[in-house]
Amino acid sequence: MEARLAEAESRNRLNNRVAVAVALISAFMAVTKIKDDNIVQAMLQAKSDAVDTWNEYQAKKLKLHLAELGLNQARALRPAVPPNEVKALAEQERSYAATIARYQTEGEAIKKKARGFEKQYDDLNFRDDQFDLSDALLSLSLAILAVTALTSNLWLFRFSLLFAGFGGVMGVAGLAGLSLHPDWLTKLLS
């Protein structure tokens, strides 16, 4: 009778530990999920801004090429222009040259801006990977804890804590902006 009572008490202690672990892991996952969702929204905005900026860059490049074409045509027409129209043609050439210089300057600034949005996206994706790994590892831990509750195996409880520990470390790295990032694992999973 005492042996059964001791076994029941042992099971009860293990189930209490499992319940506490599930509650802590779930709460931590809720916090990291909120942060991860915010990062994903920022990633979408950065990607959208990058695409819009590259489109703006392409539009400037097209306008630049049109201005270059206009300047080349004006120069080609110079020998055929009557003397009284030379001044107007020269003014048009200066206008094209100024437009070309402006588009070249603006184009470089827009290219730099687009690359900045791409870098922002990559930086955010780095942190998103951390949260994804955290979520996966903590989910595995919860699954193992469910089996632990059914089987009352202490070694399963300890095994689940390994996944929870690594998942917690990845979640904290994402929250704190740390550079912890197992590249081999993220490449394997993506």
Side-chain angles (χ1 to χ4, degrees), residues 131-151:
F131 286 117
D132 290 345
L133 283 174
S134 174
D135 191 41
L137 292 165
L138 293 174
S139 294
L140 286 171
S141 178
L142 289 174
I144 295 168
L145 285 170
V147 175
T148 301
L150 294 173
T151 64

Side-chain angles (χ1 to χ4, degrees), residues 5-188:
L5 187 58
E7 185 182 329
E9 194 174 297
S10 176
R11 256 181 200 238
N12 192 29
R13 273 196 311 270
L14 181 60
N15 281 339
N16 287 342
R17 288 180 183 173
V18 167
V20 169
V22 167
L24 291 173
I25 291 169
S26 298
F28 184 76
M29 287 177 76
V31 170
T32 57
K33 180 66 175 152
I34 291 167
K35 185 65 174 176
D36 185 34
D37 286 350
N38 290 336
I39 286 175
V40 169
Q41 289 175 359
M43 286 172 64
L44 292 171
Q45 185 63 51
K47 182 57 86 175
S48 176
D49 290 343
V51 168
D52 288 348
T53 306
W54 280 118
N55 285 338
E56 183 182 359
Y57 174 77
Q58 289 296 341
K60 292 286 184 188
K61 290 296 274 184
L62 287 172
K63 290 176 182 180
L64 170 67
H65 292 307
L66 288 173
E68 290 170 338
L69 180 63
L71 179 60
N72 290 338
Q73 286 177 342
R75 287 178 179 161
L77 287 173
R78 192 179 298 154
V81 172
N84 61 338
E85 297 293 325
V86 170
K87 187 175 180 180
L89 186 62
E91 180 58 36
Q92 188 154 19
E93 286 177 16
R94 280 191 295 279
S95 174
Y96 279 131
T99 300
I100 290 168
R102 187 182 88 223
Y103 286 146
Q104 286 172 335
T105 302
E106 289 174 357
E108 287 306 310
I110 292 169
K111 184 193 299 186
K112 184 177 179 180
K113 183 178 173 184
R115 288 193 175 138
F117 285 128
E118 288 176 342
K119 182 178 179 342
Q120 180 184 6
Y121 176 86
D122 290 340
D123 292 345
L124 290 166
N125 190 44
F126 183 90
R127 289 188 63 203
D128 181 57
D129 288 345
Q130 292 172 321
F131 286 117
D132 290 345
L133 283 174
S134 174
D135 191 41
L137 292 165
L138 293 174
S139 294
L140 286 171
S141 178
L142 289 174
I144 295 168
L145 285 170
V147 175
T148 301
L150 294 173
T151 64
S152 297
N153 281 328
L154 183 60
W155 71 268
L156 276 175
F157 178 73
R158 291 178 179 148
F159 186 61
S160 73
L161 294 181
L162 289 173
F163 284 97
F166 190 46
V169 166
M170 292 307 300
V172 168
L175 289 169
L178 303 176
S179 63
L180 179 62
H181 193 265
D183 291 330
W184 64 273
L185 187 55
T186 55
K187 286 179 184 174
L188 177 70

